[in-house]
Amino acid sequence: MIEHERSTRILTAIILINIIVYLITSYENFFMETSSYWVNMFGFIPSLIGDTQNMYRIFTSMFIHADIFHIFFNMYYLYLFGKPITRVIGGKKLLALYIFSGVAASIFHTAFSYVGGLISYIIPAVGASGAISGVLGAYLIMYPGTYLTMYSPYIFFPFPLRFRVRAEYYLIFWFATQVLYGYAKIAGTVAVFAHAGGFLAGIAILPIILSNVIGREEYGYRFDYTYTMPPPIELRVGRGIGTTSKIILTILIAILLAGNIYAMANPITGDIKAMMIQYSIDGDQYIDYTAVQLPRIESYIREVSTDETRILLSRLTSMNILYDPSKKGAEINMNNIDLNVPVKISLGAASRTYTVKVHVEKLYALYDYDGFIKHCEGTLSTQIIVIQGFLIYVTSDMINYDFKITSQTINLGNIDEYMQIPAFIISIAALIVILRKSQELSLIVEQPREPRLPIPI
């Protein structure tokens, strides 16, 4: 057996480790999704990247997945694109590529968190997607001329759709979506800039990974290309990505570099208050994250996307519980208190204040040196304000919260400063590889075969 073929065992081991970790972290939810405990404990949180006690999150987050679909497609793509790469570079170098790309993904995720606002710095990110993106980047440079089989299942079309696409075009299109979705803020909770960073890292490190692979053409006959389809006429696939592809990649990387430059020129200054909010409403459990900057916290609270979280924080703000400079370092306790709380509602340029009833059954709060809650827990009931178009009214029914809020103070200035530079360097290194070394690093496919495993779309 050829040594490089034996090295796929490490690829298999990486996949098995991810699967085992998923089984351990999701059994409480019948293996459908990972428990929030594991996500919060081992997910990567950008605001904690400078904390030495939380550095482990950079590595553990690569092996935690959100749900069964997340792990399935990640492992599918890792095997699909990782196997032909492993047979050239060996298992140890694949592991180095995987880890380096995963670390770079965390760096990019942090560097571009400013695009999503303060909340992006405190939401845990999980998944091997960033590390696998590095494998995709390496595949683009090594095998740009191979063809991938695409198919669409019946759920999207009344008949199966099957066609071929050149790997170069597929991967560049995917990379473009990550960059553009990130800036357009339409990716939801997906860390698309982490994917983009991992992709570029895989390209940037490839000259080192392939540095001692001599006579790469001779490996062509050894590969079992079960995942590629040859063009119908050409017997050999030429080296290197095309000129148009280089131009597109250069534009996309320039967009990322512009983002780095903008962030370095306009850093987020001052401290932020990062909050984790845990609460239950009528037995339903919730956990949410948000962040504010003092002293104008109301504008940040209005941007909270979850209605239940926004209502709770709004009431605590209106009651002068969430933030009160006069309570620096203080502790307060409240029991069985009925309050009429003013809540200001703004619609466009117009604003109006409504009075809602709040019953505090119990509440304890500990404040930090700024007068912001460091720890707060309690039980309260409140009326809610319903907005339907131009119709605004206060409901007579009350909703009941049993909640706990913890916060910590984080200086983002240092984080932005330290993360922009390595992200910038990785992007430049990847651009150099694309423009000057892509032909040298690409492989010739001498005897490609028909694919047996298609890529779903």
Side-chain angles (χ1 to χ4, degrees), residues 376-411:
C376 181
E377 59 182 287
T379 302
L380 63 79
S381 304
T382 179
Q383 293 177 308
I384 61 175
I385 300 173
V386 177
I387 303 175
Q388 295 179 336
F390 292 100
L391 178 63
I392 304 176
Y393 62 93
V394 179
T395 64
S396 57
D397 296 331
M398 310 274 279
I399 60 172
N400 305 309
Y401 286 92
D402 189 6
F403 67 93
K404 180 172 72 172
I405 301 173
T406 56
S407 76
Q408 64 179 120
T409 304
I410 299 169
N411 188 303

Side-chain angles (χ1 to χ4, degrees), residues 173-400:
F173 173 78
W174 174 85
F175 176 62
T177 62
Q178 306 309 295
V179 176
L180 299 179
Y181 282 13
Y183 279 113
K185 303 180 184 180
I186 58 176
T189 58
V190 180
V192 288
F193 285 115
H195 299 170
F199 186 82
L200 293 180
I203 295 174
I205 199 176
L206 198 56
I208 299 175
I209 294 293
L210 288 176
S211 60
N212 63 346
V213 178
I214 307 299
R216 284 184 289 276
E217 293 91 339
E218 69 183 54
Y219 290 100
Y221 72 92
R222 298 179 179 178
F223 301 147
D224 179 13
Y225 283 97
T226 57
Y227 316 107
T228 63
M229 177 175 284
I233 298 176
E234 297 177 336
L235 296 179
R236 293 165 64 88
V237 180
R239 285 175 178 256
I241 59 178
T243 301
T244 302
S245 297
K246 289 181 179 179
I247 293 173
I248 294 173
L249 286 169
T250 299
I251 293 172
L252 293 171
I253 293 174
I255 293 173
L256 289 173
L257 291 171
N260 292 136
I261 295 171
Y262 174 84
M264 286 188 282
N266 302 275
I268 297 177
T269 58
D271 295 336
I272 69 166
K273 303 294 184 179
M275 290 182 283
M276 181 172 72
I277 305 107
Q278 299 170 279
Y279 58 92
S280 63
I281 300 176
D282 299 326
D284 295 328
Q285 302 291 324
Y286 297 82
I287 183 169
D288 208 347
Y289 303 85
T290 193
V292 301
Q293 273 192 308
L294 307 180
R296 300 181 60 85
I297 65 174
E298 293 85 356
S299 60
Y300 296 100
I301 292 174
R302 284 196 295 267
E303 295 176 359
V304 174
S305 58
T306 306
D307 292 338
E308 292 82 0
T309 304
R310 186 175 61 253
I311 292 170
L312 174 61
L313 295 179
S314 174
R315 298 300 179 271
L316 294 176
T317 301
S318 299
M319 295 163 58
N320 291 324
I321 297 294
L322 196 66
Y323 171 56
D324 186 348
S326 66
K327 296 187 175 75
K328 295 179 181 180
E331 294 183 57
I332 64 167
N333 282 282
M334 301 173 65
N335 293 282
N336 293 320
I337 297 177
D338 291 306
L339 300 170
N340 291 318
V341 177
V343 178
K344 185 178 180 180
I345 301 295
S346 299
L347 287 178
S351 62
R352 182 177 173 184
T353 300
Y354 294 82
T355 300
V356 299
K357 295 180 179 179
V358 177
H359 173 73
V360 179
E361 182 177 332
K362 60 180 180 179
L363 186 146
Y364 166 79
L366 171 65
Y367 291 85
D368 63 16
Y369 56 86
D370 291 316
F372 193 84
I373 57 168
K374 187 174 183 179
H375 178 91
C376 181
E377 59 182 287
T379 302
L380 63 79
S381 304
T382 179
Q383 293 177 308
I384 61 175
I385 300 173
V386 177
I387 303 175
Q388 295 179 336
F390 292 100
L391 178 63
I392 304 176
Y393 62 93
V394 179
T395 64
S396 57
D397 296 331
M398 310 274 279
I399 60 172
N400 305 309

